[in-house]
Amino acid sequence: SVHRAYQGSYYPQVSIGQNDREVLDRFACAVGVGRVYGPYPPGSRLGKREWWQFHAHGAAATRQILELLRPWLGRIKIADGERALAKHAQNQDRRQTILGSIKDQTYAMLDSGCRAFEIARRLNLTTKQVSYLKRKREKMLDAGVDDPENLGVV
């Protein structure tokens, strides 16, 4: 499934609820990712007994489980998994575009002498985020690099 972490941000996850912890421990061991949480109190979700839940978060874990279980999954569950991974990839692309634009605007404003609180107000950022970008920009300039992607490749 796809879990909404915060506004506009999604990540894929696999979760399984079960009344028998041993089953989930064996599953976690078999797939090599994820963790079992619980016990949760009786009646809170899965009937009248205490229960546990297996969770594996993120694209890599979801992809690994999907590929391991693909031969035994039906077409609907395979489509659910692929849809969750595709939505995550689309979200990551959109996020990188937005972050790149914000970084470019912040760097331009820093270069023109704007103060951190002004930049934060104009770009709807926190001063902590602006300070982080300012330190990154200073490292770039000290290294003689104009592209942040090349910062470690001088």
Side-chain angles (χ1 to χ4, degrees):
S1 68
V2 178
H3 177 74
R4 185 174 186 162
Y6 53 90
Q7 185 177 8
S9 178
Y10 299 89
Y11 66 87
Q13 73 173 12
V14 174
S15 60
I16 304 167
Q18 183 71 264
N19 290 114
D20 185 354
R21 177 175 182 141
E22 183 183 345
V23 172
L24 295 178
D25 287 335
R26 289 179 59 213
F27 180 80
C29 189
V31 296
V33 294
R35 183 174 163 193
V36 177
Y37 297 90
Y40 297 103
S44 60
R45 188 162 177 184
L46 293 175
K48 297 183 182 354
R49 297 176 19 200
E50 66 181 7
W51 60 283
W52 289 261
Q53 193 158 26
F54 166 84
H55 277 284
H57 302 278
T62 300
R63 190 175 295 106
Q64 181 173 333
I65 292 170
L66 183 62
E67 292 310 313
L68 284 170
L69 298 182
R70 188 179 291 272
W72 297 279
L73 294 175
R75 66 177 176 31
I76 292 173
K77 289 297 180 186
I78 291 171
D80 286 348
E82 289 174 347
R83 188 172 28 260
L85 291 169
K87 185 168 188 170
H88 174 72
Q90 178 184 17
N91 183 60
Q92 290 298 98
D93 291 345
R94 185 181 66 80
R95 213 168 155 249
Q96 289 304 320
T97 302
I98 291 169
L99 289 176
S101 172
I102 288 173
K103 277 195 277 187
D104 292 344
Q105 291 175 46
T106 303
Y107 293 157
M109 292 172 84
L110 286 168
D111 292 345
S112 70
C114 283
R115 293 171 34 200
F117 75 91
E118 294 171 12
I119 297 169
R121 185 178 48 79
R122 287 186 194 171
L123 298 180
N124 198 24
L125 300 172
T126 65
T127 52
K128 187 175 182 178
Q129 290 169 319
V130 174
S131 296
Y132 168 78
L133 290 171
K134 182 178 181 180
R135 285 192 306 278
K136 191 170 182 176
R137 180 67 171 164
E138 289 166 353
K139 284 182 184 178
M140 289 169 45
L141 295 174
D142 289 346
V145 176
D146 199 32
D147 182 4
E149 300 303 318
N150 296 327
L151 186 54
V153 192
V154 176

